[in-house]
Structures are given as structure tokens and as C-alpha cells.
Amino acid sequence: GDAKAGRAKAVGCQACHGLDGLSKLPDAPNLAGQVEPYLVKALTEFRNGTRKNEVMSVAAQDLSDADIANLAAYYSGIQIDVVPPG
Amino acid sequence: GDAKAGRAKAVGCQACHGLDGLSKLPDAPNLAGQVEPYLVKALTEFRNGTRKNEVMSVAAQDLSDADIANLAAYYSGIQIDVVPPG
């Protein structure tokens, strides 16, 4: 996927997931640094109906395979540092 | 949820998701710092069959409501720092 194209497409995701991949809503997951194949799978499953969510089942309908690859590249590419739990 | 009890229960999650919430597998998402109500919803949906995954649909069967709350408290409580995308 092309992260730069994904960033442009992520304008449609940012109200819930943030352009930085940090959730704006209790029901929306953070996407920053998320595993790339997991993101591709999630979006593909929302698009084909295997996975259902009121918002995402609709939002994913408009995504091409390239859009999905690009969005996954963009959000997975955001660097996160984890503070190891004590 | 009780994060300390969640950490103990997370021993059963760590092979795929890490005890630090960082994925060990391409199909498994990071859980570190994930939104707590999202995690509760995900586990509840895997348990009740609304959401399906070969591994999680089985793993979630053994979880009580308290287990789910505790795991969500544990993983959501792991601090993450996001490096803002350029």
C-alpha cells in the first residue's frame, strides 16, 4: 500500500479514528501503529459483510482494494512507543 | 475492570497479542492502549458470535463478563505514545 495515498483517503476516517490514528469515540479503536495485515482484513471483512458495524459496514463500501491497502499502509506506519506495563 | 486481574488473565492472550499488547502475529492486532469500551465490545461479540475469528471465537468462550472487563482494563491501561505522522 501507498501510505501517502492512504493519508489522503484517511480524511474520511479521521472524525472517528483521528488522522493520527487515535480514537475520538469510545466505540472506535485506535489505528495508530496497528498491524497492517490486520487492518487489511478488518476493512475487507467490513466491506464484504463478514464483519458488521453500523458505521464501518457503510464506510467500507466505498473502498477499493487499493484504498484498503493504502489506508492500512498509512495507519500501520504511524509509529507508536509502548511503555511496558509494570 | 480490574487491570491487575486482567494482567493475570492475559497469560492466555500473550502468545498472539503479547503481555505488552504488541502483536506477535500478522493476523493479531496490537491491544496496547486500545480503547477500553472497544475491547469490551470486541470480546463480547467474539463470545456471542456476532464477530467471528478462528482463534478468538473459541478463546472468548471461556471468558466471564468480569474477565472481559478485566482484560479490557489491563490492555487499555498500557500507555502508548504516538509519534504524529509528518
Side-chain angles (χ1 to χ4, degrees):
Chain A
D2 174 343
K4 196 172 170 185
R7 187 194 162 103
K9 197 76 188 175
V11 169
C13 316
Q14 66 177 334
C16 301
H17 295 288
L19 201 58
D20 60 1
L22 291 180
S23 169
K24 310 293 186 198
L25 297 171
D27 276 356
N30 297 328
L31 302 179
Q34 190 52 278
V35 176
E36 189 168 2
Y38 172 78
L39 291 175
V40 169
K41 189 181 180 205
L43 285 170
T44 302
E45 288 190 350
F46 281 128
R47 189 178 60 178
N48 72 21
T50 303
R51 187 171 168 190
K52 294 178 203 303
N53 173 269
E54 286 176 18
V55 176
M56 287 306 301
S57 298
V58 176
Q61 295 309 313
D62 293 330
L63 301 177
S64 67
D65 288 350
D67 290 335
I68 288 176
N70 296 344
L71 285 166
Y74 173 65
Y75 277 117
S76 68
I78 298 174
Q79 209 185 313
I80 55 168
D81 294 323
V82 169
V83 183
Chain B
D2 174 342
K4 197 172 169 185
R7 188 196 161 103
K9 197 76 188 175
V11 168
C13 316
Q14 67 178 334
C16 301
H17 296 288
L19 201 58
D20 60 1
L22 292 181
S23 169
K24 309 293 186 196
L25 298 171
D27 276 355
N30 297 329
L31 301 180
Q34 190 50 281
V35 177
E36 190 169 3
Y38 172 78
L39 291 175
V40 170
K41 189 181 180 203
L43 286 170
T44 302
E45 289 189 349
F46 282 127
R47 189 177 60 179
N48 72 21
T50 304
R51 187 171 167 189
K52 294 178 203 304
N53 173 269
E54 286 176 18
V55 176
M56 287 306 302
S57 298
V58 176
Q61 295 308 312
D62 292 331
L63 301 177
S64 66
D65 288 351
D67 290 336
I68 288 175
N70 296 344
L71 285 167
Y74 173 64
Y75 277 116
S76 68
I78 297 173
Q79 209 184 311
I80 55 168
D81 294 322
V82 170
V83 182

